[in-house]
Short mmCIF file of all heavy atoms in Angstrom, two decimals:
data_model
loop_
_atom_site.label_atom_id
_atom_site.label_comp_id
_atom_site.label_asym_id
_atom_site.label_seq_id
_atom_site.Cartn_x
_atom_site.Cartn_y
_atom_site.Cartn_z
N MET A 76 91.33 81.40 111.45
CA MET A 76 92.31 82.17 112.16
C MET A 76 92.80 81.21 113.39
O MET A 76 91.96 80.80 114.14
CB MET A 76 91.65 83.43 112.84
CG MET A 76 91.86 84.65 112.06
SD MET A 76 91.22 86.08 112.81
CE MET A 76 89.54 86.01 112.20
N PRO A 77 94.10 81.09 113.49
CA PRO A 77 94.58 80.21 114.63
C PRO A 77 94.48 80.97 115.94
O PRO A 77 94.39 82.20 116.01
CB PRO A 77 96.08 79.99 114.33
CG PRO A 77 96.42 81.19 113.28
CD PRO A 77 95.19 81.47 112.52
N THR A 78 94.20 80.14 117.00
CA THR A 78 94.07 80.74 118.37
C THR A 78 95.09 80.24 119.19
O THR A 78 95.42 79.04 119.16
CB THR A 78 92.72 80.41 118.94
OG1 THR A 78 91.67 80.91 118.06
CG2 THR A 78 92.51 80.93 120.31
N VAL A 79 95.76 81.11 119.97
CA VAL A 79 96.88 80.71 120.92
C VAL A 79 96.56 81.29 122.30
O VAL A 79 95.89 82.35 122.33
CB VAL A 79 98.18 81.17 120.45
CG1 VAL A 79 98.62 80.48 119.10
CG2 VAL A 79 98.29 82.68 120.30
N THR A 80 97.01 80.65 123.31
CA THR A 80 96.86 81.12 124.62
C THR A 80 97.96 82.25 124.93
O THR A 80 98.84 82.37 124.21
CB THR A 80 96.99 80.06 125.73
OG1 THR A 80 98.33 79.56 125.63
CG2 THR A 80 96.06 78.90 125.46
N ILE A 81 97.58 83.04 125.99
CA ILE A 81 98.56 84.11 126.36
C ILE A 81 99.90 83.45 126.55
O ILE A 81 100.97 83.95 126.15
CB ILE A 81 98.06 84.96 127.49
CG1 ILE A 81 96.82 85.66 127.12
CG2 ILE A 81 99.18 85.88 128.12
CD1 ILE A 81 96.12 86.37 128.26
N HIS A 82 100.01 82.45 127.25
CA HIS A 82 101.29 81.73 127.57
C HIS A 82 102.05 81.43 126.30
O HIS A 82 103.20 81.54 126.14
CB HIS A 82 101.14 80.54 128.42
CG HIS A 82 102.31 79.73 128.70
ND1 HIS A 82 103.23 80.19 129.51
CD2 HIS A 82 102.77 78.59 128.25
CE1 HIS A 82 104.29 79.28 129.58
NE2 HIS A 82 103.94 78.35 128.71
N GLN A 83 101.25 80.71 125.34
CA GLN A 83 101.86 80.38 124.00
C GLN A 83 102.37 81.54 123.24
O GLN A 83 103.31 81.55 122.69
CB GLN A 83 100.90 79.65 123.24
CG GLN A 83 100.55 78.27 123.70
CD GLN A 83 99.37 77.60 122.98
OE1 GLN A 83 98.49 78.38 122.57
NE2 GLN A 83 99.37 76.30 122.88
N ALA A 84 101.45 82.62 123.40
CA ALA A 84 102.00 83.91 122.71
C ALA A 84 103.18 84.54 123.30
O ALA A 84 104.09 84.85 122.51
CB ALA A 84 100.76 84.93 122.73
N LYS A 85 103.33 84.47 124.53
CA LYS A 85 104.60 84.95 125.21
C LYS A 85 105.74 84.07 124.89
O LYS A 85 106.84 84.62 124.62
CB LYS A 85 104.42 85.01 126.79
CG LYS A 85 103.47 86.09 127.17
CD LYS A 85 103.49 86.38 128.67
CE LYS A 85 103.62 85.22 129.59
NZ LYS A 85 103.40 85.64 131.01
N THR A 86 105.62 82.82 124.81
CA THR A 86 106.67 81.94 124.50
C THR A 86 107.07 82.02 123.02
O THR A 86 108.28 81.86 122.79
CB THR A 86 106.23 80.43 124.76
OG1 THR A 86 105.86 80.36 126.13
CG2 THR A 86 107.39 79.43 124.65
N ASN A 87 106.11 82.19 122.06
CA ASN A 87 106.45 82.21 120.66
C ASN A 87 106.17 83.59 120.00
O ASN A 87 105.84 83.57 118.81
CB ASN A 87 105.53 81.18 120.07
CG ASN A 87 105.80 79.83 120.49
OD1 ASN A 87 106.90 79.35 120.44
ND2 ASN A 87 104.72 79.22 121.02
N LEU A 88 106.42 84.65 120.78
CA LEU A 88 105.99 85.93 120.26
C LEU A 88 106.79 86.29 118.91
O LEU A 88 106.09 86.68 117.95
CB LEU A 88 106.32 87.09 121.26
CG LEU A 88 105.86 88.45 120.86
CD1 LEU A 88 104.37 88.56 120.58
CD2 LEU A 88 106.33 89.55 121.88
N SER A 89 107.96 86.05 118.88
CA SER A 89 108.77 86.24 117.50
C SER A 89 108.12 85.62 116.36
O SER A 89 107.96 86.13 115.28
CB SER A 89 110.29 85.92 117.76
OG SER A 89 110.78 86.76 118.68
N ARG A 90 107.81 84.35 116.62
CA ARG A 90 107.25 83.52 115.55
C ARG A 90 105.93 84.11 115.08
O ARG A 90 105.53 84.24 113.86
CB ARG A 90 107.15 82.04 115.88
CG ARG A 90 108.51 81.37 115.96
CD ARG A 90 108.28 79.89 116.25
NE ARG A 90 109.65 79.31 116.66
CZ ARG A 90 109.83 78.81 117.87
NH1 ARG A 90 108.84 78.64 118.76
NH2 ARG A 90 111.01 78.28 118.14
N LEU A 91 105.05 84.44 116.07
CA LEU A 91 103.73 84.93 115.85
C LEU A 91 103.82 86.25 115.06
O LEU A 91 103.04 86.55 114.14
CB LEU A 91 102.99 85.06 117.11
CG LEU A 91 102.58 83.82 117.82
CD1 LEU A 91 102.00 84.11 119.19
CD2 LEU A 91 101.74 82.89 116.91
N ILE A 92 104.72 87.07 115.53
CA ILE A 92 104.87 88.41 114.74
C ILE A 92 105.37 88.17 113.36
O ILE A 92 104.83 88.85 112.50
CB ILE A 92 105.92 89.35 115.55
CG1 ILE A 92 105.34 89.70 116.84
CG2 ILE A 92 106.43 90.46 114.59
CD1 ILE A 92 106.27 90.58 117.64
N GLU A 93 106.18 87.21 113.05
CA GLU A 93 106.54 86.86 111.68
C GLU A 93 105.42 86.38 110.92
O GLU A 93 105.15 86.81 109.73
CB GLU A 93 107.64 85.84 111.72
CG GLU A 93 108.28 85.51 110.36
CD GLU A 93 109.01 86.66 109.84
OE1 GLU A 93 109.53 87.45 110.60
OE2 GLU A 93 108.89 86.88 108.63
N ARG A 94 104.50 85.60 111.45
CA ARG A 94 103.35 85.12 110.77
C ARG A 94 102.50 86.31 110.48
O ARG A 94 101.83 86.40 109.40
CB ARG A 94 102.68 83.96 111.65
CG ARG A 94 103.47 82.63 111.66
CD ARG A 94 102.91 81.69 112.59
NE ARG A 94 101.45 81.41 112.52
CZ ARG A 94 100.77 80.68 113.29
NH1 ARG A 94 101.35 80.09 114.36
NH2 ARG A 94 99.52 80.40 113.09
N ALA A 95 102.26 87.18 111.65
CA ALA A 95 101.28 88.27 111.36
C ALA A 95 101.85 89.22 110.26
O ALA A 95 101.08 89.75 109.43
CB ALA A 95 101.11 89.03 112.71
N SER A 96 103.17 89.46 110.21
CA SER A 96 103.79 90.37 109.18
C SER A 96 103.53 89.90 107.73
O SER A 96 103.60 90.53 106.85
CB SER A 96 105.19 90.69 109.47
OG SER A 96 106.02 89.51 109.33
N SER A 97 103.41 88.51 107.81
CA SER A 97 103.11 87.95 106.31
C SER A 97 101.66 87.96 105.99
O SER A 97 101.25 87.34 104.94
CB SER A 97 103.72 86.52 106.20
OG SER A 97 103.07 85.67 107.07
N GLY A 98 100.78 88.44 106.86
CA GLY A 98 99.35 88.67 106.60
C GLY A 98 98.46 87.88 107.32
O GLY A 98 97.25 88.00 107.20
N GLU A 99 98.92 86.97 108.21
CA GLU A 99 98.03 86.09 108.96
C GLU A 99 97.55 86.87 110.28
O GLU A 99 98.26 87.65 110.81
CB GLU A 99 98.88 84.83 109.40
CG GLU A 99 98.01 83.73 110.12
CD GLU A 99 98.79 82.52 110.30
OE1 GLU A 99 99.92 82.45 109.90
OE2 GLU A 99 98.24 81.68 111.00
N GLU A 100 96.27 86.62 110.57
CA GLU A 100 95.73 87.12 111.74
C GLU A 100 95.61 86.07 112.86
O GLU A 100 95.27 84.87 112.54
CB GLU A 100 94.28 87.64 111.49
CG GLU A 100 94.28 88.87 110.66
CD GLU A 100 92.86 89.46 110.55
OE1 GLU A 100 91.93 89.08 111.31
OE2 GLU A 100 92.82 90.37 109.74
N ILE A 101 96.13 86.39 114.07
CA ILE A 101 96.12 85.25 115.13
C ILE A 101 95.37 85.84 116.33
O ILE A 101 95.49 87.01 116.72
CB ILE A 101 97.62 85.12 115.48
CG1 ILE A 101 98.41 84.54 114.24
CG2 ILE A 101 97.80 84.20 116.70
CD1 ILE A 101 99.83 84.93 114.24
N ILE A 102 94.50 85.02 116.80
CA ILE A 102 93.75 85.34 118.00
C ILE A 102 94.42 84.87 119.30
O ILE A 102 94.98 83.75 119.26
CB ILE A 102 92.31 84.62 118.03
CG1 ILE A 102 91.49 85.12 116.74
CG2 ILE A 102 91.57 84.89 119.34
CD1 ILE A 102 91.16 86.43 116.67
N ILE A 103 94.56 85.73 120.36
CA ILE A 103 95.14 85.43 121.51
C ILE A 103 94.09 85.28 122.60
O ILE A 103 93.18 86.21 122.77
CB ILE A 103 96.18 86.50 121.91
CG1 ILE A 103 97.24 86.54 120.91
CG2 ILE A 103 96.93 86.17 123.31
CD1 ILE A 103 98.29 87.75 121.02
N ALA A 104 94.04 84.18 123.29
CA ALA A 104 92.90 83.87 124.30
C ALA A 104 93.51 83.72 125.72
O ALA A 104 94.63 83.23 125.78
CB ALA A 104 92.27 82.53 123.77
N ARG A 105 92.64 84.08 126.51
CA ARG A 105 92.87 83.82 127.98
C ARG A 105 92.14 82.64 128.29
O ARG A 105 90.88 82.73 128.36
CB ARG A 105 92.54 84.98 128.92
CG ARG A 105 92.80 84.75 130.38
CD ARG A 105 92.45 86.00 131.23
NE ARG A 105 93.57 87.01 130.97
CZ ARG A 105 93.26 88.18 130.59
NH1 ARG A 105 92.07 88.69 130.37
NH2 ARG A 105 94.22 89.11 130.47
N GLY A 106 92.71 81.51 128.47
CA GLY A 106 91.99 80.17 128.53
C GLY A 106 91.32 79.93 127.13
O GLY A 106 92.04 79.92 126.11
N SER A 107 89.99 79.85 127.09
CA SER A 107 89.26 79.67 125.89
C SER A 107 88.61 80.88 125.44
O SER A 107 87.93 80.83 124.35
CB SER A 107 88.23 78.58 126.06
OG SER A 107 87.36 78.86 127.07
N LYS A 108 88.79 82.03 126.19
CA LYS A 108 88.01 83.20 125.74
C LYS A 108 89.01 84.19 124.99
O LYS A 108 90.04 84.64 125.56
CB LYS A 108 87.63 83.94 127.09
CG LYS A 108 86.95 85.30 126.83
CD LYS A 108 86.49 85.98 128.15
CE LYS A 108 85.79 87.23 127.75
NZ LYS A 108 85.47 87.98 129.02
N PRO A 109 88.74 84.47 123.72
CA PRO A 109 89.54 85.40 122.95
C PRO A 109 89.61 86.78 123.61
O PRO A 109 88.56 87.34 123.95
CB PRO A 109 88.88 85.38 121.60
CG PRO A 109 87.79 84.32 121.56
CD PRO A 109 87.58 84.06 123.00
N VAL A 110 90.76 87.36 123.67
CA VAL A 110 91.02 88.65 124.26
C VAL A 110 91.69 89.72 123.41
O VAL A 110 91.57 90.96 123.55
CB VAL A 110 91.64 88.65 125.65
CG1 VAL A 110 90.78 87.86 126.65
CG2 VAL A 110 93.05 87.93 125.56
N ALA A 111 92.45 89.15 122.31
CA ALA A 111 93.05 90.14 121.58
C ALA A 111 93.42 89.50 120.16
O ALA A 111 93.27 88.29 120.04
CB ALA A 111 94.51 90.46 122.14
N ARG A 112 93.79 90.34 119.27
CA ARG A 112 93.98 89.87 117.84
C ARG A 112 95.27 90.46 117.34
O ARG A 112 95.52 91.61 117.47
CB ARG A 112 92.85 90.29 116.94
CG ARG A 112 93.03 89.73 115.56
CD ARG A 112 91.77 89.95 114.71
NE ARG A 112 91.10 91.31 115.00
CZ ARG A 112 90.40 91.90 114.28
NH1 ARG A 112 89.93 91.30 113.10
NH2 ARG A 112 89.89 93.04 114.46
N LEU A 113 96.18 89.63 116.93
CA LEU A 113 97.41 90.11 116.35
C LEU A 113 97.30 90.05 114.80
O LEU A 113 96.98 89.08 114.21
CB LEU A 113 98.63 89.03 116.72
CG LEU A 113 100.00 89.48 116.37
CD1 LEU A 113 100.46 90.73 117.02
CD2 LEU A 113 100.99 88.25 116.87
N VAL A 114 97.44 91.29 114.32
CA VAL A 114 97.21 91.54 112.89
C VAL A 114 98.40 92.37 112.32
O VAL A 114 99.01 93.16 113.02
CB VAL A 114 95.92 92.35 112.68
CG1 VAL A 114 94.66 91.62 113.02
CG2 VAL A 114 95.90 93.68 113.23
N PRO A 115 98.60 92.17 111.01
CA PRO A 115 99.65 93.01 110.38
C PRO A 115 99.35 94.40 110.38
O PRO A 115 98.27 94.91 110.23
CB PRO A 115 99.80 92.37 108.98
CG PRO A 115 98.42 91.79 108.65
CD PRO A 115 98.00 91.33 110.04
N VAL A 116 100.37 95.29 110.44
CA VAL A 116 100.18 96.73 110.33
C VAL A 116 100.07 97.04 108.88
O VAL A 116 100.72 96.49 108.08
CB VAL A 116 101.40 97.48 110.87
CG1 VAL A 116 101.24 98.96 110.69
CG2 VAL A 116 101.57 97.10 112.42
N GLY A 117 99.09 98.07 108.62
CA GLY A 117 98.80 98.46 107.20
C GLY A 117 100.06 99.10 106.69
O GLY A 117 101.15 99.30 107.32
N ALA A 118 100.05 99.39 105.32
CA ALA A 118 101.14 99.97 104.73
C ALA A 118 101.48 101.27 105.35
O ALA A 118 100.66 102.12 105.76
CB ALA A 118 100.85 100.22 103.26
N VAL A 119 102.86 101.61 105.45
CA VAL A 119 103.29 102.90 106.10
C VAL A 119 103.11 103.95 105.02
O VAL A 119 103.65 103.74 103.85
CB VAL A 119 104.66 102.62 106.55
CG1 VAL A 119 105.22 103.98 107.12
CG2 VAL A 119 104.76 101.56 107.66
N LYS A 120 102.43 105.00 105.30
CA LYS A 120 102.31 106.03 104.39
C LYS A 120 103.63 106.87 104.27
O LYS A 120 104.54 106.73 105.07
CB LYS A 120 101.34 107.00 104.92
CG LYS A 120 99.79 106.44 104.92
CD LYS A 120 98.80 107.36 105.36
CE LYS A 120 97.41 106.72 105.45
NZ LYS A 120 96.50 107.61 105.89
N GLY A 121 103.70 107.70 103.24
CA GLY A 121 104.98 108.43 103.02
C GLY A 121 105.22 109.51 104.07
O GLY A 121 104.30 109.75 104.89
N LYS A 122 106.30 110.08 104.11
CA LYS A 122 106.63 111.10 105.11
C LYS A 122 105.83 112.28 104.82
O LYS A 122 105.50 112.60 103.63
CB LYS A 122 108.29 111.39 105.02
CG LYS A 122 108.99 110.23 105.54
CD LYS A 122 110.46 110.61 105.67
CE LYS A 122 111.19 109.54 106.29
NZ LYS A 122 112.55 109.78 106.42
N ARG A 123 105.68 113.12 105.90
CA ARG A 123 104.92 114.29 105.71
C ARG A 123 105.78 115.35 105.03
O ARG A 123 107.00 115.36 105.12
CB ARG A 123 104.49 114.90 107.16
CG ARG A 123 103.54 113.90 107.82
CD ARG A 123 103.33 114.32 109.17
NE ARG A 123 103.03 115.80 109.33
CZ ARG A 123 102.75 116.29 110.49
NH1 ARG A 123 102.65 115.62 111.57
NH2 ARG A 123 102.37 117.64 110.53
N GLN A 124 105.13 116.17 104.14
CA GLN A 124 105.80 117.27 103.37
C GLN A 124 105.37 118.59 103.86
O GLN A 124 104.27 118.92 103.58
CB GLN A 124 105.49 117.12 101.91
CG GLN A 124 106.13 115.87 101.25
CD GLN A 124 107.56 116.13 101.02
OE1 GLN A 124 108.41 115.58 101.74
NE2 GLN A 124 107.99 116.99 100.10
N PRO A 125 106.12 119.29 104.63
CA PRO A 125 105.82 120.68 104.99
C PRO A 125 105.44 121.45 103.75
O PRO A 125 106.12 121.47 102.78
CB PRO A 125 107.01 121.19 105.68
CG PRO A 125 107.80 119.96 106.06
CD PRO A 125 107.51 119.01 105.03
N GLY A 126 104.40 122.22 103.85
CA GLY A 126 103.91 123.00 102.78
C GLY A 126 103.14 122.43 101.73
O GLY A 126 102.87 122.99 100.65
N SER A 127 102.83 121.11 101.82
CA SER A 127 102.15 120.43 100.75
C SER A 127 100.72 120.89 100.61
O SER A 127 100.13 120.63 99.50
CB SER A 127 102.09 118.83 101.05
OG SER A 127 101.35 118.60 102.31
N LEU A 128 100.14 121.65 101.54
CA LEU A 128 98.72 122.16 101.36
C LEU A 128 98.85 123.65 101.00
O LEU A 128 97.75 124.33 101.02
CB LEU A 128 97.90 122.03 102.74
CG LEU A 128 97.60 120.47 102.87
CD1 LEU A 128 96.90 120.40 104.32
CD2 LEU A 128 96.73 119.85 101.89
N LYS A 129 99.97 124.18 100.68
CA LYS A 129 100.09 125.57 100.37
C LYS A 129 99.21 125.93 99.21
O LYS A 129 99.38 125.22 98.14
CB LYS A 129 101.59 125.99 100.11
CG LYS A 129 101.83 127.46 99.93
CD LYS A 129 103.23 127.75 99.86
CE LYS A 129 103.51 129.32 99.74
NZ LYS A 129 104.86 129.63 99.78
N GLY A 130 98.37 126.94 99.31
CA GLY A 130 97.55 127.41 98.26
C GLY A 130 96.23 126.59 98.24
O GLY A 130 95.31 126.88 97.40
N LYS A 131 96.07 125.53 98.98
CA LYS A 131 94.86 124.66 98.85
C LYS A 131 93.88 125.07 100.01
O LYS A 131 92.76 124.75 99.94
CB LYS A 131 95.22 123.19 99.01
CG LYS A 131 96.11 122.72 97.88
CD LYS A 131 96.46 121.32 98.03
CE LYS A 131 97.29 120.75 96.91
NZ LYS A 131 97.63 119.41 96.93
N LEU A 132 94.32 125.64 101.03
CA LEU A 132 93.47 126.21 102.10
C LEU A 132 93.31 127.74 102.14
O LEU A 132 94.26 128.36 102.01
CB LEU A 132 94.00 125.69 103.48
CG LEU A 132 94.12 124.16 103.65
CD1 LEU A 132 94.79 123.89 105.01
CD2 LEU A 132 92.85 123.50 103.59
N VAL A 133 92.09 128.06 102.41
CA VAL A 133 91.83 129.56 102.38
C VAL A 133 91.17 129.90 103.71
O VAL A 133 90.24 129.28 104.11
CB VAL A 133 90.92 129.98 101.24
CG1 VAL A 133 90.63 131.43 101.28
CG2 VAL A 133 91.62 129.57 99.86
N ILE A 134 91.67 130.86 104.36
CA ILE A 134 91.19 131.39 105.69
C ILE A 134 90.62 132.86 105.37
O ILE A 134 91.50 133.64 104.91
CB ILE A 134 92.20 131.39 106.73
CG1 ILE A 134 92.71 130.02 107.08
CG2 ILE A 134 91.56 132.05 108.06
CD1 ILE A 134 93.74 129.94 108.08
N GLY A 135 89.34 132.95 105.52
CA GLY A 135 88.65 134.26 105.16
C GLY A 135 89.12 135.32 106.16
O GLY A 135 89.60 135.02 107.32
N PRO A 136 88.93 136.62 105.94
CA PRO A 136 89.16 137.66 106.88
C PRO A 136 88.38 137.66 108.11
O PRO A 136 88.86 138.08 109.21
CB PRO A 136 88.98 138.90 106.11
CG PRO A 136 88.11 138.56 104.92
CD PRO A 136 88.36 137.14 104.65
N GLU A 137 87.22 136.99 108.10
CA GLU A 137 86.32 136.91 109.34
C GLU A 137 86.94 136.03 110.37
O GLU A 137 86.56 136.16 111.54
CB GLU A 137 84.93 136.36 108.91
CG GLU A 137 84.93 134.92 108.49
CD GLU A 137 85.25 134.74 106.99
OE1 GLU A 137 85.48 135.83 106.24
OE2 GLU A 137 85.30 133.59 106.58
N PHE A 138 87.98 135.16 110.02
CA PHE A 138 88.66 134.34 111.04
C PHE A 138 89.40 135.29 112.01
O PHE A 138 89.47 134.87 113.25
CB PHE A 138 89.67 133.43 110.34
CG PHE A 138 90.45 132.57 111.22
CD1 PHE A 138 89.95 131.45 111.69
CD2 PHE A 138 91.75 132.97 111.57
CE1 PHE A 138 90.71 130.64 112.62
CE2 PHE A 138 92.46 132.21 112.37
CZ PHE A 138 91.91 131.00 112.92
N PHE A 139 89.91 136.48 111.51
CA PHE A 139 90.74 137.31 112.37
C PHE A 139 89.81 138.32 113.12
O PHE A 139 90.36 139.10 113.93
CB PHE A 139 91.80 137.93 111.55
CG PHE A 139 92.71 137.02 110.90
CD1 PHE A 139 92.53 136.61 109.63
CD2 PHE A 139 93.73 136.39 111.70
CE1 PHE A 139 93.44 135.68 109.02
CE2 PHE A 139 94.48 135.54 111.13
CZ PHE A 139 94.41 135.01 109.85
N GLU A 140 88.48 138.37 112.88
CA GLU A 140 87.64 139.30 113.60
C GLU A 140 87.50 138.92 115.01
O GLU A 140 87.53 137.75 115.39
CB GLU A 140 86.31 139.21 112.89
CG GLU A 140 86.25 139.58 111.50
CD GLU A 140 86.22 141.16 111.31
OE1 GLU A 140 85.64 141.82 112.18
OE2 GLU A 140 86.76 141.55 110.35
N PRO A 141 87.31 139.84 115.98
CA PRO A 141 87.10 139.46 117.43
C PRO A 141 85.73 138.68 117.49
O PRO A 141 84.85 138.87 116.78
CB PRO A 141 86.99 140.78 118.05
CG PRO A 141 87.50 141.84 117.11
CD PRO A 141 87.40 141.27 115.77
N LEU A 142 85.75 137.79 118.46
CA LEU A 142 84.49 136.99 118.78
C LEU A 142 83.44 137.98 119.38
O LEU A 142 83.82 138.86 120.17
CB LEU A 142 84.84 135.83 119.72
CG LEU A 142 85.76 134.81 119.12
CD1 LEU A 142 86.04 133.77 120.33
CD2 LEU A 142 85.00 134.06 118.09
N PRO A 143 82.28 137.63 119.14
CA PRO A 143 81.22 138.40 119.79
C PRO A 143 81.33 138.18 121.37
O PRO A 143 81.69 137.17 121.76
CB PRO A 143 79.89 137.80 119.30
CG PRO A 143 80.16 136.96 118.02
CD PRO A 143 81.77 136.72 118.23
N ASP A 144 80.78 139.11 122.09
CA ASP A 144 80.90 139.02 123.64
C ASP A 144 80.27 137.78 124.20
O ASP A 144 80.83 137.15 125.07
CB ASP A 144 80.26 140.23 124.27
CG ASP A 144 81.17 141.52 124.04
OD1 ASP A 144 82.35 141.37 123.86
OD2 ASP A 144 80.57 142.69 124.09
N ASP A 145 79.08 137.39 123.71
CA ASP A 145 78.37 136.14 124.24
C ASP A 145 79.30 134.93 123.97
O ASP A 145 79.29 134.01 124.75
CB ASP A 145 76.97 136.10 123.72
CG ASP A 145 76.96 135.95 122.15
OD1 ASP A 145 77.81 136.48 121.47
OD2 ASP A 145 75.97 135.28 121.68
N GLU A 146 79.83 134.83 122.85
CA GLU A 146 80.69 133.64 122.48
C GLU A 146 82.05 133.73 123.26
O GLU A 146 82.46 132.73 123.71
CB GLU A 146 80.91 133.54 120.97
CG GLU A 146 81.49 132.16 120.62
CD GLU A 146 81.51 132.07 119.14
OE1 GLU A 146 80.75 132.71 118.35
OE2 GLU A 146 82.52 131.24 118.58
N LEU A 147 82.57 134.91 123.41
CA LEU A 147 83.80 135.09 124.12
C LEU A 147 83.70 134.61 125.58
O LEU A 147 84.50 134.01 126.24
CB LEU A 147 84.30 136.52 123.97
CG LEU A 147 85.66 136.90 124.51
CD1 LEU A 147 86.73 135.95 123.88
CD2 LEU A 147 86.00 138.29 124.28
N SER A 148 82.45 135.05 126.18
CA SER A 148 82.28 134.67 127.71
C SER A 148 82.30 133.15 127.85
O SER A 148 82.58 132.74 128.97
CB SER A 148 80.95 135.38 128.13
OG SER A 148 79.90 134.77 127.47
N GLY A 149 81.86 132.44 126.83
CA GLY A 149 81.97 130.96 127.08
C GLY A 149 83.40 130.35 127.15
O GLY A 149 83.61 129.23 127.57
N TRP A 150 84.31 131.11 126.78
CA TRP A 150 85.82 130.64 126.91
C TRP A 150 86.45 131.04 128.14
O TRP A 150 87.55 130.71 128.26
CB TRP A 150 86.49 131.21 125.67
CG TRP A 150 86.21 130.65 124.45
CD1 TRP A 150 85.36 131.15 123.53
CD2 TRP A 150 86.76 129.39 123.80
NE1 TRP A 150 85.11 130.21 122.35
CE2 TRP A 150 86.04 129.20 122.61
CE3 TRP A 150 87.57 128.48 124.26
CZ2 TRP A 150 86.26 128.14 121.75
CZ3 TRP A 150 87.82 127.37 123.41
CH2 TRP A 150 87.17 127.21 122.26
N GLU A 151 85.80 131.78 128.86
CA GLU A 151 86.35 132.27 130.11
C GLU A 151 86.07 131.40 131.32
O GLU A 151 85.24 130.60 131.36
CB GLU A 151 85.86 133.77 130.57
CG GLU A 151 86.35 134.82 129.48
CD GLU A 151 85.77 136.08 129.67
OE1 GLU A 151 84.92 136.26 130.58
OE2 GLU A 151 86.25 137.01 128.97
#
């Protein structure tokens, strides 16, 4: 993994991002001490689909029952 200083990273940020987006990991150091790692972002997942869990989750009738007094007092 190549290491660059913070100054070099600021100067060449566009180039470093291009390298990272192609899969390379780059260490950014303050002096000789590594402080950050520039890595590619993982694959972007598909868009959320409203209703995609319809029929897959079940909430029992006990969910709608009032809480017992001792448990309810903990929420006050």
Side-chain angles (χ1 to χ4, degrees):
M76 266 183 270
T78 301
V79 297
T80 64
I81 292 174
H82 176 72
Q83 291 169 328
K85 289 190 322 186
T86 303
N87 300 301
L88 184 59
S89 295
R90 290 185 193 118
L91 294 174
I92 289 174
E93 187 62 36
R94 287 170 57 185
S96 67
S97 66
E99 189 174 350
E100 293 186 9
I101 298 149
I102 301 295
I103 300 173
R105 180 176 287 123
S107 61
K108 182 180 177 185
V110 293
R112 183 172 40 161
L113 184 61
V114 297
V116 174
V119 178
K120 296 181 180 180
K122 292 188 177 183
R123 293 172 53 179
Q124 286 288 104
S127 62
L128 292 176
K129 188 174 184 176
K131 296 180 181 178
L132 300 176
V133 178
I134 299 174
E137 66 278 356
F138 179 80
F139 299 100
E140 300 278 328
L142 291 173
D144 289 335
D145 60 329
E146 192 171 336
L147 187 58
S148 65
W150 290 94
E151 294 175 351

